[in-house]
Amino acid sequence: MQPTDIRNPDYFHKVVDCQWACPAHTPVPEYIRLIAAGRYSDAYLVNWKSNVFPGILGRTCDRPCEPACRRGRVEEAQQAKPEPVAICRLKRVTADYKDDDDVKKRIAAGKKTKSNGKKIVCIGAGPASLTVARDLAPLGYEVTVFDQDPRAGGMIWSQIPRFRLPLEVIDEEVNYILDLGVSFKQRKITSMKEVMKEGYDAIFVGSGAPRGRDLDIPGRKEGAKNIHIGIDWLSSVSFGHTTKIGKRVIVLGGGNTAMDCCRTSKRIGGEDVKVIVRSGFDEMKASPWEKEDAQHEGIPIMNFLVPKSFITQGGKLTGMTFEKVKAVYDDKGKRSLVSTGEPDQAFECDDVLVAVGQENSFPWIEKDCGIEFDKWGLPVLDKATFQASVPNVFFGGDSAFGPKNIIWAVAHGHDAAVSIDKLLNSEDLKLRPAPGVTLVSQKMGIHEWSYDNEIAGDARYKVPWADIKATLKNVKMEVELGFDVATAWKEAQRCLNCDVQTVFTDKLCIECDACVDICPMDCISFVPNAEEEVLRKNLNAPATNLTQDLYVSGPLKTMRVMAKDEDVCLHCGLCAERCPTGAWDMQKFLAEMTYAGDGCRNHQNQKKKAA
Amino acid sequence: MTFLAKPKLHHPTLPKNKLGFTRRDYEGKVSTLCAGCGHDSISAALIQAFWELDIQPHRVAKMSGIGCSSKTPDYFLGQSHGFNTVHGRMPSVLTGANLANRDLIYLGVSGDGDSASIGLGQFAHVMRRGVNMTYILENNGVYGLTKGQFSATADKGSKAKKGSINADSAIDTVSLALLMGATFVARSFSGDKHQLVPLVKAAIAHQGAAFIDVISPCVAFNNHAGSTKSYEYIREHNEAVNRLDFWPTREAITVDYSAGGVIEVPTHDGSILKLRKLHEDYDPSDKINASAMIASAAVKGEVLTGLLYVAPDAEDLHAHLNTYETAFNTLGEKELCPGSAMLEKINAGLR
Ligand SMILES: Cc1cc2nc3c(=O)[nH]c(=O)nc-3n(C[C@H](O)[C@H](O)[C@H](O)COP(=O)(O)OP(=O)(O)OC[C@H]3O[C@@H](n4cnc5c(N)ncnc54)[C@H](O)[C@@H]3O)c2cc1C
Ligand SMILES: Cc1ncc(C[n+]2csc(CCOP(=O)(O)OP(=O)(O)O)c2C)c(N)n1
Ligand code: SF4
Ligand code: SF4
Ligand code: SF4
Ligand SMILES: [Mg+2]
């Protein structure tokens, strides 16, 4: 193998599994260390900069970082249940224990009083638009956000039930943004052409994927009064229009919306609530923890049942029938659901909530306004810049590539903001600077590091819950209580500080084997060089996780190379402590993502002017 | 300054031996030696060898003297017996322990100062008595623990860290062990576990006095230019005479050997030593020739490593003395104190 080029900013970034997996690349270990140090406000602001909604995301994020977290792999075969660090719930800790006034002041300090004369409009006030606004307003842009709803927040506010996310948390974090001088107005946009005529320098569409899929099976019309589209019903509950549901409720669908529907039903009159899903339990789209939460509240999840008809009597819904199916896989591994041949199954019910998917819909964008759509009805966009076929129109969040989640909407928002800033500075949108990275040695003395390199053996801590009897009675009462300070500290200790990198200097190595001998995880080998495939097998412990890189040095004095499997490194620094020559060093890697503003610009236009 | 204990976590695929232990279960306390000390690598090789041989740690007695090398038994086999003797006196304590209980596996760990300077007499006698043990000499050419004075194994003409030249002749412990009658004699290098681990395993299996001189650089006091015991010097002058593969049983042999250049050395306990010859004319069963080869290599400035001598028909001290087989600690008072009548009988026999 060629020696690893550690100057490539992606190399060490990938080693920080959580940060790499986070769509907004939140520097997770950085904020976890700040929590451990009791610096909650600083930890909050590290988050706020990257993901804009720490308190909201700390309760609701889809947390792609957690399945990626190294801790889960490291605990394999040695902890009864190997689990990642509770990254998401530690994020909530930063919001819960920060000094509110201090944070408010520090955020407000970014407010620009002088306009740069450029006007931006965001359509829809969900997380994507709010991120664009947050990134651009401090640069002097005049940002206006329109939403058909009276409050900003988008689906964060209209869909996510209050027992998962209290209103105050939304208000606080939405206001941090609006207080930067962003103007929010309730207005339902009915014509894109009209907006285009209003003189904005750039238009950002963050209107989400607002249409819930329906289920067109026999009995749908007859039972219509008691058949509800999940997302419409949830927003109606959020807005206080709906306050009751029948005693027996069937929720159709296996995604997160279905989980919110069933748990909400249970709180406003549903007694016998069940979720019925076409697919198997493991293939359901809902996150594992949401399924667990629903089951914990006594809601059964029934699988492999395909809805066949609504049963009505005298124009009133009385139940549903389902066909029993099983999963069959063809030789390519593709799954299909086929009938088991057993008789259909019928369930009685008073109400049905249909949560079988969401779609995009842009009835207000005229076909002839210049914005192209593909055959699935999604806008044709540049995947990196989010630019539409009309150069000053950008899409982001669920409206760009279909329904995803909040953290993706935020990530899109950052990127779109960069594009807008570059466009309005006459720059090439495609020339986007790589993140700035720094590597700083953590050595303070012999056996002394500026990070805590002791590895905690604790299993993951559970977030305590409010009394289930109380929460099931009140749709607004938050279920999770969040970590207390002591537990948060203990959970923070589980983080392995994957950003503190093992950096190897081959010229200094005397091949004494000290690092090999001390490494608890058998990460390091000195071996004859070979192709990656061969090398992976020849290491002290086989490197079978192909998603994790091998760090390979140049040839050493014996003509062997140092090869380190990054997979299960504890970042404990023992290799560096045991190295007599300092060939190993522990260096903190920090990736400074590229945001709108001076850092994102290449200044080609200025060069042009100078030339 | 703190020394962190090595985290208990280990690689998810870390294998277990027949006893259900991982290699990590054979570790000891965290080492307090200097970072990069060769002795730590030898500890790692010992851990590997005992793990691979499926030896129950409580069947092992680790004996050592004084020195950085003699401290190392604290850093491996944490579940084994141990005795840290006075300087240079490990051999006599090991001999006594072995006489009292032959059921344990005896591992002697010593340094060049401990064995070749203050303990030279003890070293010679433990070899000639044929005590059943594995004697590891961690040879760095200096007294590491007392800050790097030349030891008796330092080569004549080699340079100390501060510049002084060693004027005395070196004691070659391998030649001395051969001369004294050790029945398994090898030399290796702390930086080459592929060579060292099989040698340790074979030495443990050997039923007699097995001696391995392991060159083990002292990074603090003897790893500079001009030293003949530095990592760099040993890598350049290392001449391996053979490569040993150790197989506990014949069935276990999984490597295909090409016909030429492999010798099989029979042993008492049925284990197999396979030697791949690296030097055509080196025969490790010919003691006289082995001595001559070691001496002539030394003249050329080469450090001969590998299995240098093994006597297939080795015997140990217990066989020489025809001792009682049962360990003292399992004998009752009656056997240990047979009474005045028996004493009379013995005394009468001596008159
Ligand atoms: C029930 C449910 C639960 C969810 N739970 C989670 C969760 O726990 N975690 C998570 O990460 N994600 C969750 N999501 C997904 C998440 O809410 C969305 O992915 C995210 O909000 C998308 O953000 P966005 O900025 O693209 O748009 P949205 O949040 O969808 O906001 C779009 C806004 O645009 C407005 N709008 C649309 N058209 C117009 C128009 N013509 N004029 C004016 N305004 C308009 C809408 O009123 C809306 O406020 C959930 C979704 C649902 C349905
Ligand atoms: C009776 C006695 N004399 C002298 C000493 C001082 N002393 C301690 S260790 C040592 C030399 C150890 O050298 P070596 O066996 O080579 O061990 P190393 O530290 O090099 O591994 C000496 C002379 C002592 N502890 N006891
Ligand atoms: S252990 Fe910490 S730094 Fe490493 S992936 Fe998990 S949360 Fe991130
Ligand atoms: S930091 Fe070094 S010693 Fe610790 S696990 Fe990683 S490679 Fe091994
Ligand atoms: S002084 Fe030398 S022998 Fe002793 S621990 Fe340090 S490097 Fe090893
Ligand atoms: Mg010594």
Side-chain angles (χ1 to χ4, degrees), chain B residues 240-318:
Chain B
V241 293
N242 46 38
R243 276 272 160 197
L244 174 70
D245 287 312
F246 175 81
W247 305 100
T249 59
R250 184 164 288 282
E251 299 88 81
I253 299 178
T254 54
V255 181
D256 240 355
Y257 289 94
S258 50
V262 176
I263 4 175
E264 219 176 82
V265 186
T267 59
H268 273 328
D269 67 342
S271 57
I272 309 295
L273 307 185
K274 280 204 177 243
L275 282 174
R276 264 171 295 171
K277 277 194 160 190
L278 299 176
H279 269 224
E280 241 348 280
D281 41 359
Y282 198 94
D283 174 4
S285 63
D286 180 345
K287 186 167 169 177
I288 309 223
N289 186 45
S291 280
M293 295 278 288
I294 295 166
S296 71
V299 173
K300 282 186 270 175
E302 288 171 0
V303 181
L304 227 50
T305 60
L307 179 54
L308 301 174
Y309 173 65
V310 58
D313 52 353
E315 272 186 353
D316 84 327
L317 178 64
H318 286 281

Side-chain angles (χ1 to χ4, degrees), chain A residues 127-318:
Chain A
S129 288
L130 290 174
T131 301
V132 171
R134 202 243 11 211
D135 285 1
L136 293 181
L139 304 175
Y141 291 96
E142 289 173 34
V143 187
T144 307
V145 180
F146 292 126
D147 200 294
Q148 61 199 7
D149 291 336
R151 281 175 115 124
M155 286 195 171
I156 291 176
W157 173 65
S158 64
Q159 293 292 329
I160 299 181
R162 302 286 181 259
F163 58 84
R164 286 208 286 130
L165 178 60
L167 195 57
E168 312 84 73
V169 179
I170 308 175
D171 281 349
E172 177 187 339
E173 292 190 332
V174 166
N175 285 337
Y176 285 148
I177 298 168
L178 299 184
D179 290 348
L180 290 169
V182 172
S183 95
F184 171 75
K185 291 197 186 87
Q186 183 176 15
R187 170 179 168 193
K188 180 170 178 140
I189 307 294
T190 50
S191 159
M192 183 57 146
K193 281 185 176 169
E194 194 180 303
V195 179
M196 285 170 155
K197 274 190 226 132
E198 288 170 16
Y200 295 104
D201 295 286
I203 300 173
F204 178 80
V205 182
S207 59
R211 189 193 282 159
R213 251 187 227 128
D214 204 346
L215 200 60
D216 193 14
I217 53 172
R220 172 69 180 92
K221 271 202 202 78
E222 294 82 337
K225 218 174 118 275
N226 295 91
I227 302 170
H228 320 276
I229 299 295
I231 64 168
D232 298 341
W233 182 80
L234 281 172
S235 53
S236 165
V237 175
S238 285
F239 299 169
H241 305 326
T242 297
T243 50
K244 276 208 300 291
I245 194 157
K247 282 204 170 78
R248 298 167 306 167
V249 182
I250 291 178
V251 177
L252 299 174
N256 295 342
T257 305
M259 297 304 116
D260 283 341
C261 284
C262 68
R263 296 179 70 193
T264 302
S265 303
K266 210 57 214 218
R267 286 163 166 78
I268 58 169
E271 283 168 13
D272 165 16
V273 180
K274 49 172 95 62
V275 177
I276 302 184
V277 197
R278 288 162 53 97
S279 68
F281 188 80
D282 293 333
E283 300 94 72
M284 285 169 63
K285 287 218 179 85
S287 320
W289 54 88
E290 296 209 77
K291 294 193 272 189
E292 270 166 37
D293 292 354
Q295 288 175 319
H296 181 79
E297 294 180 352
I299 300 165
I301 298 178
M302 312 177 78
N303 297 91
F304 292 122
L305 292 169
V306 176
K308 217 168 167 187
S309 66
F310 295 101
I311 313 168
T312 53
Q313 253 167 22
K316 188 168 179 335
L317 182 76
T318 58

Side-chain angles (χ1 to χ4, degrees), chain A residues 17-18 28-29 32 69-71 85 87 495-498:
Chain A
D17 290 304
C18 47
V28 174
I32 292 184
C69 169
R70 172 164 284 110
R71 180 85 199 188
V85 174
I87 301 172
C495 173
L496 300 168
N497 301 290
C498 300

Side-chain angles (χ1 to χ4, degrees), chain A residues 78 511 513 517-518 520 522, chain B residues 6 10 23 41 193 235:
Chain A
Q78 24 213 335
E511 299 174 69
D513 264 7
D517 295 336
I518 196 70
D522 296 324
Chain B
K6 191 162 162 174
H10 57 70
R23 195 184 75 236
S41 284
K193 288 200 195 72
R235 285 216 168 89

Side-chain angles (χ1 to χ4, degrees), chain B residues 216-252:
Chain B
S216 174
C218 169
V219 283
F221 301 111
N222 206 9
N223 194 38
H224 46 270
S227 155
T228 59
K229 298 266 191 294
S230 66
Y231 281 106
E232 207 165 327
Y233 185 91
I234 297 301
R235 285 216 168 89
E236 269 166 29
H237 296 81
N238 189 342
E239 267 303 316
V241 293
N242 46 38
R243 276 272 160 197
L244 174 70
D245 287 312
F246 175 81
W247 305 100
T249 59
R250 184 164 288 282
E251 299 88 81

